[in-house]
Amino acid sequence: MWQAFTNLIQGALTYGDLGPDQEIRRKTNRRLRQSRPELTVDAWVDSFTILSGGSVSAPLLRFLYSHLGDYTGLAMGCIRPSDRLIEDLHMPLVCWFDWPHRLCADFWEHFQIDLGEDFDEAAFQTVGDLVMYLQARLRSMDSLPSS
């Protein structure tokens, strides 16, 4: 019985270390909202599409707007392609520790494309880098011959 109680207490103490840092999330959201307008999903998709010269698909951008918002708790409408994942958005601190795994699972569920072992969140400096990687994965699957 004491072991179960000790495990419960230890789990509660560890939970804070694994969960999002709510204070940094609040500060990041405040900074984002003070420095730029918050775009609707349609305006956000349009802005990314324009900046990429039309090379990014709207379904991918809508997917990211929804899912990254869920993972981070950040105002996605304020996030821009040049925002750095670590320095500007503090991804390791504002997200659950498993956001890359959730993104891969959600990407599979939505697009039926397995990012698998190839996905390394440390390889992306900016949101734009992440978007372009995912777009390239979509394109590579489109170019495969149908069976």
Side-chain angles (χ1 to χ4, degrees):
M1 176 159 141
W2 283 108
Q3 184 63 36
F5 180 72
T6 302
N7 287 344
L8 180 65
I9 297 298
Q10 195 65 25
L13 294 173
T14 305
Y15 179 80
D17 293 336
L18 298 177
D21 186 321
Q22 298 298 329
E23 183 60 25
I24 290 179
R25 185 183 278 177
R26 274 190 294 279
K27 286 180 181 179
T28 302
N29 268 324
R30 188 176 325 115
R31 181 184 48 76
L32 288 171
R33 286 185 171 118
Q34 288 174 347
S35 65
R36 54 188 74 158
E38 188 164 358
L39 303 175
T40 64
V41 65
D42 291 331
W44 193 81
V45 167
D46 289 346
S47 73
F48 268 75
T49 302
I50 291 166
L51 288 171
S52 72
S55 65
V56 179
S57 72
L60 172 62
L61 292 169
R62 289 180 186 287
F63 168 84
L64 287 171
Y65 188 96
S66 170
H67 287 80
L68 284 181
D70 288 346
Y71 309 149
T72 64
L74 297 177
M76 282 304 296
C78 294
I79 292 175
R80 303 298 185 259
S82 61
D83 287 334
R84 298 170 298 174
L85 296 173
I86 296 175
E87 294 88 346
D88 300 327
L89 302 179
H90 309 285
M91 289 288 281
L93 300 174
V94 301
C95 294
W96 287 97
F97 66 96
D98 67 343
W99 79 267
H101 304 289
R102 290 180 59 203
L103 177 66
C104 290
D106 291 340
F107 199 78
W108 166 256
E109 186 176 313
H110 193 83
F111 296 105
Q112 273 65 61
I113 295 174
D114 183 10
L115 300 176
E117 302 297 320
D118 188 38
F119 187 82
D120 177 12
E121 73 274 12
F124 314 115
Q125 184 172 352
T126 67
V127 173
D129 296 340
L130 174 62
V131 168
M132 295 313 291
Y133 165 81
L134 294 172
Q135 182 61 50
R137 292 304 305 262
L138 285 175
R139 266 196 214 105
S140 70
M141 295 310 292
D142 287 343
S143 65
L144 293 177
S146 300
S147 1

